Amino acid sequence: NAGVTQTPKFQVLKTGQSMTLQCAQDMNHNSMYWYRQDPGMGLRLIYYSASEGTTDKGEVPNGYNVSRLNKREFSLRLESAAPSQTSVYFCASRDSSYEQYFGPGTRLTVT
Amino acid sequence: RKEVEQDPGPFNVPEGATVAFNCTYSNSASQSFFWYRQDCRKEPKLLMSVYSSGNEDGRFTAQLNRASQYISLLIRDSKLSDSATYLCVVRLNTGGFKTIFGAGTRLFVKA
């Protein structure tokens, strides 16, 4: 039982490049989330998916897109990376008691 | 004003000490409360939920004060392994998803 997995763990992009962050969970959770974490700011929600086939914007969606491919997988895409998107990205899923389970994170640097 | 505020610390305490963190929230629609722990360069993990009557889990005690809109976390007999950042988390009852993470309080326990 791997929990929540994320790939890649580290990534360096040049401004304007695109990439997709992958996330998968094996806990059969309906809800999945993408956050970014920046120093002194706490986790901020980018997008979430309450169930397979639905996605909604969070607090900071600009510059990102998501796909809920199936119940297990929820990917985050940066179409044209900007230095302001340098951050640590966490994927999470939630159980029925509202506990969130996080993946190990992706450290992204945009130069 | 941030919706969830925490003293960033750091709190530097010796092993065996008792340390307490407070967290204030501004939205009266806040329904559920949690403390998460985040080790350096790792993902957040649930430490404990916070119940209205207060609750204890070993050396950890969480309290909720709805009237003053704050929650607290007390750690007794601190261990070196308690060194981490503690995140206060609030879930709002506003329909749809709204969970807010505080920026965290850093704790260093020294031998």
Side-chain angles (χ1 to χ4, degrees), chain A residues 36-92:
Chain A
R36 60 179 289 173
Q37 187 174 38
D38 301 293
M41 299 199 67
L43 287 155
R44 291 184 293 169
L45 182 67
I46 304 171
Y47 270 93
Y48 69 100
S49 171
S51 61
E52 185 179 351
T54 69
T55 60
D56 286 284
K57 293 179 181 179
E59 182 185 353
V60 288
N62 291 344
Y64 305 96
N65 284 301
V66 290
S67 294
R68 184 73 183 268
L69 304 168
N70 47 55
K71 192 169 186 178
R72 289 187 65 247
E73 298 172 287
F74 188 36
S75 62
L76 178 72
R77 183 160 177 83
L78 286 71
E79 291 291 353
S80 179
S84 60
Q85 294 178 304
T86 293
S87 189
V88 181
Y89 291 85
F90 288 103
C91 176

Side-chain angles (χ1 to χ4, degrees), chain B residues 57-76:
Chain B
D57 182 1
R59 298 181 294 107
F60 299 85
T61 300
Q63 299 272 355
L64 167 63
N65 185 320
R66 285 192 185 270
S68 300
Q69 296 191 181
Y70 76 84
I71 67 172
S72 63
L73 178 68
L74 181 79
I75 305 175
R76 289 182 300 278

Side-chain angles (χ1 to χ4, degrees), chain B residues 64-102:
Chain B
L64 167 63
N65 185 320
R66 285 192 185 270
S68 300
Q69 296 191 181
Y70 76 84
I71 67 172
S72 63
L73 178 68
L74 181 79
I75 305 175
R76 289 182 300 278
D77 189 23
S78 299
K79 311 290 185 194
L80 295 176
S81 57
D82 294 333
S83 296
T85 298
Y86 291 84
L87 309 179
C88 171
V89 181
V90 173
R91 185 176 73 87
L92 302 183
N93 180 23
T94 55
F97 173 87
K98 187 68 170 175
T99 294
I100 305 167
F101 285 76

